[in-house]
Amino acid sequence: MEKILDWSKYLEKAAETVSEGIVMLKNDNGVLPLNKSDNIAVFGRIQLHYYKSGTGSGGMVNVSKVTSIVDGLIEAGVKVNEKLLEIYRKWDEENPFDQGEGWGNEPWSQKEMPLADSIVEEASKESSKAVIIIGRTSGEEQDARLEAGSYLLSEDEKDMLKKVRKYFDKVIILLNVGSLIDINDICKIGTDALLYVWQGGMTGGTGTAAVLTGKVSPSGKLPDTIAEKISDYPSDENFGQKDRSFYKEDVYVGYRWFETFSKEKVVYPFGFGLSYTTFDIEFLSASGEDILTFNIKVTNTGKFSGKEVVQIYVEKSQGKLGQPARILCGFAKTKQLSAGESQELSISVKKCDIASYDDSGVTGNEYCWILEDGDYSFWLGSDVRSAKKIYSFNQSNTVVVEKCSPALAPVIAFERIKPNKTDSGFEVSNETVPTSTVDEEKRRIEKLPTVIEYTGDKGIKLSDVKSGKHTMKEFIAQLSDHDLSCIVRGEGMGSPRVTAGTASAFGGVSDKLYDFGIPACCCSDGPSGLRLDCGTKAFSLPNGTLIASTFNRELVQELFEFLGTEMIANKVDCLLGPGMNIHRHPLNGRNFEYFSEDPYLTGQMAAAELKGLHSVGVTGTVKHCCANNQETNRHFLDSVVSERALREIYLKGFEIAVKEGNASTIMTTYGSLNGIWTAGNYDLNTVILRDEWGFKGLTMTDWWANVNFRSEEPKRSYYIPMIRAQNDVYMVCADSSAVDNDILNALETGIITRGELQRNAENVLRFVMTTHAMDRLTGSDDIVKIINRDESKNASDEPVVFYDIEKNLKIDLENVESRKGDNYAFALILKNLGWYKVTVTASSTQSTLAQLPITIFSMGTPSGTLTWNGTEGKPVSISCTIPMFSRFSAIRLYFAQNGLKLHSIEFELEKAEDNIELAFASEDQ
């Protein structure tokens, strides 16, 4: 069946998402929306380099075009000060954008153009309003820092604000950032309007312009609390530690902390966001026993049309456990309401969903979800601080909602926060966190799966299982030990079995498995759109923080239905996203990928994305499970967290994604959780995910993750703890067709059983049967036709060529010429991994002062830039050394200028790496 992907409607839906996710914090003096008569002076170099997303696996999307904020304003008919824009363009040419070097080493901000008073004064004579754009990127391997140019404004940025404020009566500041940055200097210097426009993907400028011009009234709400200082966040004391991070704040994360203990430290509360209009939120009624239904009427009382988000918070009985003062338990967004128009909404809250977890037995119900006796109150409003009490009920006795098994508790004692009620509110007290008493190995052995007797090949194909002709057990009985060792390993990156430039293939990764009718399924990054390292163009979506700020499940679901259709067009079965770790601290480098400080909002947004993908038959891998809340030393950091905090905060979003979003794939983390690296953590992967939540899908490791047994040092490519934990697939292996001695030896010695391998294989196969890869193998898959795409030719229109290389390779490039902004891509199948000398030979007839650079990307990472001057038409060779540590390596040449004729590219192995595990660059998905 043919499906149609209308690219123009895709763009419209993404821009609509951007508009609804923008959070307006301030709008004084009638500065917004802009008037048609306004002439706007735009300041800040990021007007020329809009940050569509952060970096790393969550942001590396090759796009045909990014609409910047200035582009969006001009396209919307706004008069922009061209003289000032040209000054910025000229300075930008003389001060090139700093791309950084290697993986995870991008600068968080760019050098700002120093502003002379004369430039600003001259601009103020022509323009009535000023727009200042401040930008920050973010990404893997490094956290933001409490320093100028990172979390804080740089001196040049502060100087820009002061001078613009001096000469302009009306100033608008836009924060093109992945997550929170410090706004104290902005508040001190002063501005009329302040908006978090976040990172909006390739249509960010279009969506932003729609808000600035009043085409759309802002309706985004803060997914995080903005406090006065970084030190005000309760996790600050333990954030950024190198070896071990104690989660002493426990369940008091974000607004849970501030509303309970530190209201005075809040600048803007969780859920806050202004509109061009005003709304009245009226509570009508509440009804129900086990499920409470709140009926609410929202009326637009202003002059603009717009949307409003209504939020419901619960104030639980303090009981013996102690509770945050407010917890988000429901929200809904209105339709577009015209002036004077009303809408009635219903929000349902299950009582079981507001239960708390007793990990100590203080209530007499150890390891249970409970509703303690006492009063429960519900608060309604447009943010956590403005919410008013609307309803209460008394729980006459403590009720056990669910009995659980003790799991994931820390093995190191530490103190956690607990509120102590006083006449004036709550003060901070502490209690000792309960530690684990579980015999983890005994638990695992007691639940060993039954071995399916080996039958050899009986001619049963996986399609026979899907059709019901044979059972899964009959099929798995055919698989040898070697087959089973292959099926638990992914192949990549850039496996030729699947779409070029993607993250991995899994499932049918050997010829024998393929002969059994097991297709190779394709994984691709990521949360912000398809990462296709071969240079194929894809759609870049708004980042996770912006998506959460929409508070609009239906809109997000619609957007991800478009993404799902794009995945089918590119033969991608599994998106490596959504990212859904908690914004525990504002400096986390990957906050841009994740949603919020609140687990309920996080889970709801993830579920909406999954529903959109599932509607067209593809899926997403929710990641990183769990407690991946900083980038500093992420491969070796041990997160020490109470069982209660894990279940109520750091696992809750994943639980919602599984139970409400029907998540079918989950990725574990790089790091350690209470002493065991999550890739080999049985309590996480089996006890909680499968036994308690009923998860039926597959789990995978992060790329080249460390794995360990408790009390052992972690190491990469260590399959045994992973297999025993029921983390089904190790991502990724250089060659998954080879018999792995570790697995076979472990089988022979009884360290693992054939039944455990068969169990993991069944998880993989059960998932594989539901994919488009299965349909492609059987010839019944959908075909997607893309229409109204904004480019005449896309890289995906041409097949990517693979070249075999043992130690040396020379590729003829005589037919390749550089064209500004274009790429030339191919892929290598390497016999030896290591460091390669790369020599490019090219010529040019341009002047000797011409600067003609080529950037070499290996697996999506810029690995070197070679620059030619004019060569009088003579071939000139330039070399650099790059690392290549993936057997299937996608190479892309990016041309920054026209006028360079290429002749050849040569690869020569300089240093082979015997220890591949140590050589791998960090390549997180």
Side-chain angles (χ1 to χ4, degrees), residues 5 7 10 52-54 56-64 201-202 493 499-504 522-542 559-578 609 613 616 618-621 623 776 784 786 789 791 794-796 860 892 925:
L5 175 57
W7 201 260
Y10 199 177
K52 66 180 175 61
S53 69
S57 59
M60 295 171 65
V61 181
N62 298 312
V63 297
S64 56
M202 62 191 293
M493 296 180 66
T499 300
T502 52
S504 81
C522 180
C523 284
S524 175
D525 285 317
S528 298
L530 297 179
R531 170 189 172 189
L532 304 168
D533 281 347
C534 60
T536 302
K537 299 295 192 298
F539 199 102
S540 175
L541 278 74
L559 176 63
F560 273 73
E561 183 176 342
F562 280 101
L563 175 58
T565 307
E566 185 190 7
M567 289 169 63
I568 300 171
N570 286 279
K571 296 182 174 60
V572 172
D573 306 291
C574 192
L575 183 78
L576 299 177
E609 291 188 7
L613 297 176
V616 293
V618 295
T619 194
T621 300
K623 64 178 190 178
R776 290 194 295 272
V784 172
I786 301 177
R789 193 156 187 164
E791 54 193 320
N794 185 50
S796 61
R892 176 163 57 93
Q925 307 303 314

Side-chain angles (χ1 to χ4, degrees), residues 71 104 580:
D71 294 335
M580 51 186 305

Side-chain angles (χ1 to χ4, degrees), residues 425-436:
F426 294 101
E427 63 181 14
V428 176
S429 64
N430 293 284
E431 67 177 5
T432 301
V433 173
T435 54
S436 177

Side-chain angles (χ1 to χ4, degrees), residues 479-744:
L479 303 181
S480 67
D481 290 348
H482 172 233
D483 297 330
L484 293 170
S485 75
C486 290
I487 208 169
V488 297
R489 290 175 292 170
E491 179 180 87
M493 296 180 66
S495 168
R497 298 181 188 274
V498 292
T499 300
T502 52
S504 81
F506 68 94
V509 294
S510 72
D511 293 341
K512 185 65 181 295
L513 291 175
Y514 187 82
D515 288 343
F516 277 118
I518 304 172
C521 292
C522 180
C523 284
S524 175
D525 285 317
S528 298
L530 297 179
R531 170 189 172 189
L532 304 168
D533 281 347
C534 60
T536 302
K537 299 295 192 298
F539 199 102
S540 175
L541 278 74
N543 74 0
T545 304
L546 187 151
I547 284 174
S549 298
T550 69
F551 277 71
N552 191 332
R553 300 174 182 87
E554 294 76 16
L555 175 61
V556 172
Q557 184 172 332
E558 291 169 3
L559 176 63
F560 273 73
E561 183 176 342
F562 280 101
L563 175 58
T565 307
E566 185 190 7
M567 289 169 63
I568 300 171
N570 286 279
K571 296 182 174 60
V572 172
D573 306 291
C574 192
L575 183 78
L576 299 177
M580 51 186 305
N581 290 107
I582 296 298
H583 292 179
R584 181 190 177 215
H585 192 278
L587 296 184
N588 181 13
R590 295 186 82 171
N591 278 348
F592 80 98
E593 290 186 52
Y594 306 145
F595 295 116
S596 171
E597 68 186 22
D598 180 74
Y600 178 75
L601 177 59
T602 292
Q604 292 298 314
M605 291 296 103
E609 291 188 7
L610 291 172
K611 289 175 181 177
L613 297 176
H614 293 168
S615 68
V616 293
V618 295
T619 194
T621 300
V622 294
K623 64 178 190 178
H624 305 87
C625 190
C626 67
N628 187 81
N629 301 308
Q630 72 174 53
E631 288 300 288
T632 301
N633 204 33
R634 61 179 176 161
H635 293 274
F636 298 99
L637 181 75
D638 183 27
S639 295
V640 186
V641 197
S642 78
E643 187 176 347
R644 180 185 178 190
L646 283 169
R647 290 181 179 271
E648 292 191 22
I649 304 292
Y650 299 103
L651 283 167
K652 178 55 70 174
F654 290 98
E655 183 179 4
I656 293 170
V658 168
K659 292 181 176 180
E660 297 187 28
N662 294 315
S664 53
T665 60
I666 295 176
M667 184 192 296
T668 51
T669 74
Y670 276 139
S672 169
L673 176 60
N674 290 329
I676 302 181
W677 269 251
T678 58
N681 193 315
Y682 181 86
D683 278 8
L684 175 63
N685 289 280
T686 295
V687 175
I688 290 181
L689 295 188
R690 298 184 186 277
D691 295 347
E692 292 188 6
W693 295 356
F695 177 69
K696 300 297 184 184
L698 74 87
T699 50
M700 64 180 72
T701 71
D702 209 333
W703 267 230
W704 302 297
N706 287 311
V707 194
N708 78 323
F709 288 124
R710 186 175 291 284
S711 302
E712 288 187 2
E713 290 297 313
K715 56 184 178 180
R716 287 176 170 166
S717 301
Y718 190 22
Y719 312 129
I720 310 309
M722 179 205 80
I723 292 166
R724 296 201 334 183
Q726 203 176 177
N727 197 349
D728 301 306
V729 179
Y730 187 87
M731 293 292 189
V732 289
C733 305
D735 186 356
S736 61
S737 65
V739 177
D740 185 87
N741 291 328
D742 286 346
I743 294 178
L744 297 181

